[in-house]
Amino acid sequence: MSTETTKRGGFGGKLAAILAAAGSAIGLGNIWRFPYITSENGGGAFIIIYLGCILLLGLPLLIAEFAVGHNSKCNPIDAFAKIRKGWGWLGAMGLISVFLIMGYYFVISGWTINYTIASATDSIGGDYGGFFTTFTTDIWKPLIFTVAFILLNHFIIIGGVQGGIEKASKIMMPLLFAILVVLAVYSLWLPEGREALGNVFTPDFSKVTGKTFLDAMGQAFFTLSVGMGAMLIYGSYFKEGTKIAGTAISVVTLDTLVAIIAAVIIFSAGVENESGMQLAFVAMPKVFAAMPLGNVWSMLFFLLLGLAALSSTISMHEAVTSYFVEKRGMTRTMGATIVTLGAILLASAASLSLGAWNEYRVAGMNLFALLDNFTAIVMLPLLGILTSVFVGWIWKRSDAKAELTAQGGVDKATYPVIYFLLRYVCPVLVSTVFVFGIIDFIKSL
Ligand code: TRP
């Protein structure tokens, strides 16, 4: 067993496990997605519902996914199949989804390099919307940055679990937290910042609708990276003695803190009415420009976004790479190269779909939007349902219990609660929200 673990590689200790998994969780989802979804949905009211989703659905699912990985110590496909014959397809579904997410996530990640450089050299200019549109719809420029970002991932991944992922996480995550704190302190120091904050965090329950629950759940799953094999593969690298439940709680806490602090920074800049891409890439640079030392703040903000993206994308890349290494018998370098090339192809197409290929559309969406919507609306909830059903119903009851209570570190009194959440609450709630989500989406077409 121990030789098997060494051969596969693994994290050196508990802190490494927390930092790597928190790195996967904390990403673009926390820094640009959470703030704008919050402001669209009534601020404080949304946050309350979101926290409910994190605790009742996200946390148990994260524990479940870590447990499947830790118990089987394999890549996502073999992991499910090892626990229950015939269930490997669930791992495959996760890997396909994570690959589709990579397709658009790498494009946005690439932009952060250009924006960090353009901020540092003060060359965004006065027309922020124009800069964004010209850049993102260009053919070559965004492509080059996207490919550069994918190659950055590639070199971390071929460095191995400990020499690559763990080392990178130990450098990136403290840096990310430091930048976040500096930006937050600065925004709270501005009087208009404090005022803007009060307005946004005050709950406005009149804005709560069915869609609020949909958005809250989708955000909870996305931000915790659950259901896609990324957390599963990290769970499989946990060193013996790393407690699953404790690690999951640390990850959830850090992820939630970062999302809320990011919202503080963004709301205090008074840009909460902007949404999505426009918020991070157009409104923020504009706000920074009006401040003393604006380009330094702007550079720090995009560096933060880039670091968050990088620590998430390496877990996506690793999940898919582990399949080629363990199931196809390739060397790590070979497996990683295939994933890198595949990601370059898909992300390039997604990048071009914003400009040159924008007229090719399915259901009114270009490839970029299609990848985003399909994974968020269909795959994420579906994987959430299936993962909870797997642990709650398919995994032999005594084995699941043994894994969670012994290795997992879940105490005997808490175990029934988590089991109940996974067996009944997750499948029922997520299915309900899933069906309403699809209906809502079809109506919006
Ligand atoms: N959690 C990431 C974020 O908030 C996004 C994400 C979703 C992800 N699914 C994933 C990251 C799978 C890694 C693996 O930005």
Side-chain angles (χ1 to χ4, degrees):
M1 170 85 139
S2 71
T3 50
E4 187 187 302
T5 324
T6 337
K7 206 179 84 212
R8 293 186 73 233
F11 296 128
K14 292 174 190 159
L15 182 68
I18 292 174
L19 290 180
S24 172
I26 299 166
L28 299 173
N30 301 59
I31 300 170
W32 68 257
R33 208 165 180 267
F34 178 76
Y36 85 81
I37 290 198
T38 300
S39 73
E40 276 176 6
N41 280 298
F46 174 80
I47 295 181
I48 295 169
I49 297 168
Y50 168 79
L51 291 177
C53 291
I54 288 277
L55 284 178
L56 293 180
L57 310 170
L59 181 62
L61 275 170
L62 184 57
I63 293 177
E65 203 177 327
F66 279 158
V68 171
H70 181 268
N71 186 265
S72 56
K73 301 211 172 35
C74 334
N75 64 85
I77 298 184
D78 287 332
F80 286 105
K82 200 164 167 182
I83 291 176
R84 189 62 174 263
K85 229 177 145 133
W87 276 76
W89 57 270
L90 182 49
M93 228 172 104
L95 291 184
I96 293 170
S97 309
V98 94
F99 183 71
L100 297 178
I101 290 188
M102 278 159 97
Y104 76 92
Y105 205 97
F106 269 134
V107 177
I108 308 173
S109 306
W111 297 346
T112 65
I113 306 181
N114 185 37
Y115 268 83
T116 307
I117 298 172
S119 304
T121 55
D122 213 355
S123 54
I124 297 186
D127 178 9
Y128 302 92
F131 181 89
F132 178 75
T133 312
T134 312
F135 167 61
T136 55
T137 57
D138 186 62
I139 295 185
W140 292 106
K141 248 186 121 181
L143 268 187
I144 292 168
F145 288 113
T146 297
V147 171
F149 201 92
I150 297 176
L151 291 179
L152 221 52
N153 271 263
H154 183 77
F155 291 115
I156 296 176
I157 296 300
I158 58 175
V161 179
Q162 224 172 344
I165 299 174
E166 175 172 334
K167 208 163 154 195
S169 305
K170 281 185 170 164
I171 299 170
M172 286 195 287
M173 297 315 285
L175 193 60
L176 185 151
F177 295 133
I179 298 178
L180 195 71
V181 169
V182 170
L183 285 175
V185 168
Y186 182 66
S187 29
L188 289 180
W189 177 69
L190 302 169
E192 57 275 36
R194 292 193 294 269
E195 192 186 324
L197 263 189
N199 297 338
V200 180
F201 280 105
T202 312
D204 177 359
F205 286 98
S206 70
K207 280 198 193 155
V208 174
T209 61
K211 182 144 191 319
T212 312
F213 288 88
L214 216 74
D215 285 348
M217 190 191 82
Q219 175 63 19
F221 286 4
F222 185 81
T223 194
L224 293 180
S225 320
V226 287
M228 313 230 154
M231 289 302 192
L232 187 155
I233 197 76
Y234 278 4
S236 81
Y237 296 144
F238 285 177
K239 195 178 176 177
E240 287 310 303
T242 303
K243 297 284 184 231
I244 290 169
T247 310
I249 290 171
S250 306
V251 170
V252 165
T253 309
L254 287 171
D255 183 81
T256 306
L257 274 177
V258 171
I260 292 189
I261 298 175
V264 167
I265 295 169
I266 283 166
F267 295 157
S268 66
V271 295
E272 69 276 4
N273 293 326
E274 295 289 341
S275 78
M277 311 288 178
Q278 300 290 323
L279 175 92
F281 293 95
V282 179
M284 290 308 284
K286 192 167 161 184
V287 170
F288 287 128
M291 298 174 178
L293 287 179
N295 58 328
V296 175
W297 298 115
S298 180
M299 183 197 76
L300 282 178
F301 177 75
F302 288 108
L303 187 61
L304 172 75
L305 209 54
L307 285 171
L310 184 55
S311 58
S312 295
T313 49
I314 54 176
S315 73
M316 304 185 193
H317 197 302
E318 176 65 20
V320 189
T321 298
S322 74
Y323 159 78
F324 287 105
V325 175
E326 291 179 7
K327 255 194 111 53
R328 302 265 150 183
M330 294 179 189
T331 61
R332 195 171 174 81
T333 308
M334 188 62 203
T337 305
I338 292 186
V339 178
T340 297
L341 291 178
I344 289 179
L345 278 180
L346 187 63
S348 299
S351 178
L352 288 170
S353 81
L354 295 174
W357 293 356
N358 197 16
E359 76 248 39
Y360 303 108
R361 285 165 182 260
V362 176
M365 289 177 281
N366 59 32
L367 179 65
F368 187 100
L370 200 63
L371 291 171
D372 180 2
N373 282 308
F374 178 69
T375 48
I377 297 167
V378 181
M379 295 314 278
L380 267 167
L382 211 52
L383 287 163
I385 299 168
L386 291 166
T387 307
S388 59
V389 165
F390 184 83
V391 175
W393 297 88
I394 308 293
W395 196 348
K396 201 172 150 213
R397 216 172 161 145
S398 52
D399 290 352
K401 184 172 182 178
E403 170 65 36
L404 283 167
T405 51
Q407 281 299 331
V410 177
D411 61 53
K412 293 256 168 2
T414 322
Y415 176 74
V417 178
I418 293 182
Y419 197 67
F420 180 79
L421 288 172
L422 285 171
R423 198 171 155 89
Y424 302 105
V425 179
C426 289
V428 172
L429 277 186
V430 184
S431 304
T432 312
V433 173
F434 178 52
V435 171
F436 281 104
I438 300 270
I439 295 174
D440 191 74
F441 180 68
I442 293 172
K443 274 199 276 184
S444 76
L445 286 180

